[in-house]
């Protein structure tokens, strides 16, 4: 038995020694990785400072200073692990765990701060290509402006001012945006040549945004014509369906809701503009679809109510009288056999008696009497 326990302790000690060795290896690798990361981040900081300015890299500079300060503790702990003074296993293990914790924290902080600058740094590195793309896109969009003006002029003959509000001034706005994009691109190039990179980057971002907005407006003009045609087609279908619903409403169960909804739908149909006039298919479709849905709902509720009619008042009175008779029988049984009936049943009797009296008196009221 002693041999068994001795072998087990040796196995446990060997496992612990292996874990300590792995912890020491991880601590050393983490320290090397963190040191390399500080070096790389320092180079990126200097590049970003030169390209973006001191204000933009302020958070990263602060993070780098904090990381260097806290990693001094990790370097000191690593030095204690390798000096000539012997340490206990627990002390070495605690130091290695602390080194790993500090290094992981340092890399996490640097990851967070560098990722916030990554897009702007990438913009700086690709500034020449982006500037060329802005000028190329501006020229291509300028060629589309005359076509957009023709589309707007054609659509104004078919659709009224309310429908055309969102695109009427689109072509003029596009021209202004493209002129602004060209001006901003030229400013960006001049500022970069003068070494004023922060201003150059701001101008480049402004030019890129202007091109994006111009593209969106141009695409919106092209899409508007298709959407208007789709709305007109859908409106024709809804008109046909609405006329059919009005015919169906004449044979549907009568109710105030059906009458009101049918009147509203008929008014919406009569308010549609005459053929050949400028229209707003979007608004007309919305109004007519809402009225159509309201009539459909009213008819559905009327049909459902007709399928489940309320019982006549005579049937209700007969049911109440029958319940009164059954309660009276139960009350007589309880009164004649008090010794057999428990307290709960007698309480029920008193409550049911009150309810029966109330029900009987109410059942005898005429339909026109006041409650």
């Amino acid at each position: 038995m002693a041999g068994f326990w001795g072998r087990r302790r040796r196995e446990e000690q060997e496992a612990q020694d292996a874990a300590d060795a792995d912890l020491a290896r991880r601590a050393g690798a983490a320290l090397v990785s963190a040191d390399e990361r500080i070096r790389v981040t320092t180079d990126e900081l200097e590049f970003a400072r030169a390209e973006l300015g001191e204000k933009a890299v302020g958070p990263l500079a602060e993070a780098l200073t904090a990381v260097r300060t806290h990693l001094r503790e990790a370097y000191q702990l690593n030095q204690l692990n390798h000096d000539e003074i012997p340490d206990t296993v627990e002390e070495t293990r605690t130091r290695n765990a602390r080194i790993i914790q500090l290094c992981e924290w340092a890399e996490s902080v640097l990851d967070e701060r560098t990722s916030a600058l990554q897009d702007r740094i990438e913009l700086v590195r690709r500034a020449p290509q982006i500037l060329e793309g802005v000028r190329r896109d501006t020229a291509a969009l300028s060629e589309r402006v005359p076509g957009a003006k023709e589309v707007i002029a054609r659509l104004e003959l078919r659709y009224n001012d309310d429908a055309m509000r969102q695109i009427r001034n689109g072509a003029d706005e596009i021209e202004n945006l493209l002129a602004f994009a060209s001006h901003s691109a030229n400013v960006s190039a001049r500022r970069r040549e003068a070494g004023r990179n922060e201003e150059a980057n701001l101008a480049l971002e402004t030019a890129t945004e202007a091109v994006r907005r111009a593209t969106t407006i141009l695409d919106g003009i092209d899409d508007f014509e298709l959407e208007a045609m789709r709305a007109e087609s859908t409106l024709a279908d809804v008109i046909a369906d609405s006329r059919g619903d009005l015919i169906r409403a004449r044979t549907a169960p009568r109710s105030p809701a059906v009458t009101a909804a049918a009147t509203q739908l008929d008014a919406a149909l009569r308010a549609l503009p005459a053929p050949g006039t400028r229209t707003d298919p979007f608004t007309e479709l919305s109004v007519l679809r809402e009225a159509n849905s309201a009539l459909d709902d009213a008819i559905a509720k009327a049909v459902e109510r007709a399928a489940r009619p309320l019982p006549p008042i005579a049937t209700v009175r007969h049911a109440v009288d029958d319940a009164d008779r059954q309660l009276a029988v139960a009350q007589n049984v309880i009164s004649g056999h008090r010794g057999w009936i428990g307290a709960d049943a007698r309480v029920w009797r008193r409550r049911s008696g009150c309810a029966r009296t109330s029900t009987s008196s109410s059942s005898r009221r005429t339909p026109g009497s006041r409650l």
Side-chain angles (χ1 to χ4, degrees), residues 22-198:
D22 180 68
L23 185 65
R25 180 190 60 77
R26 289 168 50 206
L31 200 58
V32 172
S33 176
D35 187 69
E36 177 64 16
R37 182 58 190 277
I38 290 176
R39 186 190 65 79
V40 172
T41 304
T42 301
D43 294 340
E44 292 181 352
L45 175 64
E46 294 304 321
F47 174 81
R49 180 180 284 115
E51 296 293 336
L52 302 177
E54 188 66 36
K55 183 178 180 180
V57 301
L60 179 58
E62 294 175 0
L64 198 57
T65 301
V67 165
R68 287 195 179 106
T69 300
H70 286 81
L71 279 188
R72 290 196 191 102
E73 179 185 352
Y75 295 136
Q76 293 171 357
L77 294 174
N78 184 65
Q79 185 177 3
L80 291 175
N81 285 340
H82 296 87
D83 61 12
E84 69 280 1
I85 302 175
D87 302 311
T88 64
V89 176
E90 289 76 11
E91 289 175 338
T92 303
R93 185 184 303 136
T94 302
R95 290 170 186 162
N96 286 331
R98 177 61 174 166
I99 290 172
I100 294 174
Q101 180 185 27
L102 289 170
C103 292
E104 289 178 347
W105 169 83
E107 297 217 28
S108 175
V109 170
L110 294 180
D111 284 341
E112 178 183 355
R113 297 299 174 87
T114 53
S115 62
L117 283 177
Q118 193 63 41
D119 292 341
R120 299 185 65 180
I121 292 175
E122 186 65 21
L123 175 65
V124 170
R125 290 173 174 168
R126 296 180 55 247
Q129 294 86 347
I130 295 175
L131 189 61
E132 181 183 355
V134 166
R135 288 171 172 164
R136 183 175 58 252
D137 293 342
T138 300
L141 292 174
S142 298
E143 295 177 357
R144 293 176 56 187
V145 172
K149 290 183 177 180
E150 293 178 1
V151 170
I152 293 173
R154 183 174 64 252
L155 294 178
E156 283 183 333
L157 299 176
R158 185 175 183 85
Y159 304 114
N160 61 25
D161 294 341
D162 291 336
M164 294 294 297
R165 183 181 297 112
Q166 57 181 313
I167 66 167
R168 181 186 297 111
N169 300 322
D172 295 336
E173 186 175 359
I174 292 168
E175 289 180 332
N176 291 334
L177 286 171
L178 294 179
F180 181 72
S182 298
H183 174 71
S184 299
N186 294 333
V187 170
S188 177
R190 290 196 299 269
R191 292 294 188 274
R192 196 169 300 280
E193 291 174 359
R196 299 159 66 177
N197 294 327
E198 186 173 1

Side-chain angles (χ1 to χ4, degrees), residues 8 42 44 80 169 196 198 203 214 252-253 262 282 322 325 333 352 362:
R8 184 172 182 178
T42 301
E44 292 181 352
L80 291 175
N169 300 322
R196 299 159 66 177
E198 186 173 1
F282 304 104
D322 183 62
R325 286 192 294 271
V333 171
S352 64
S362 62

Side-chain angles (χ1 to χ4, degrees), residues 251-306:
T251 59
R254 306 307 300 171
S255 72
V258 172
T259 302
T263 302
Q264 183 178 6
L265 180 57
D266 183 66
L269 288 172
R270 294 177 183 275
L272 293 175
T277 59
R278 298 169 66 208
T279 64
D280 181 1
F282 304 104
T283 302
E284 294 162 7
L285 177 60
S286 177
V287 172
L288 193 60
R289 181 178 284 165
E290 183 179 353
N292 183 280
S293 299
L295 181 57
D296 288 339
D297 293 341
I299 292 176
K301 291 178 181 178
V303 171
E304 181 182 3
R305 188 178 298 111

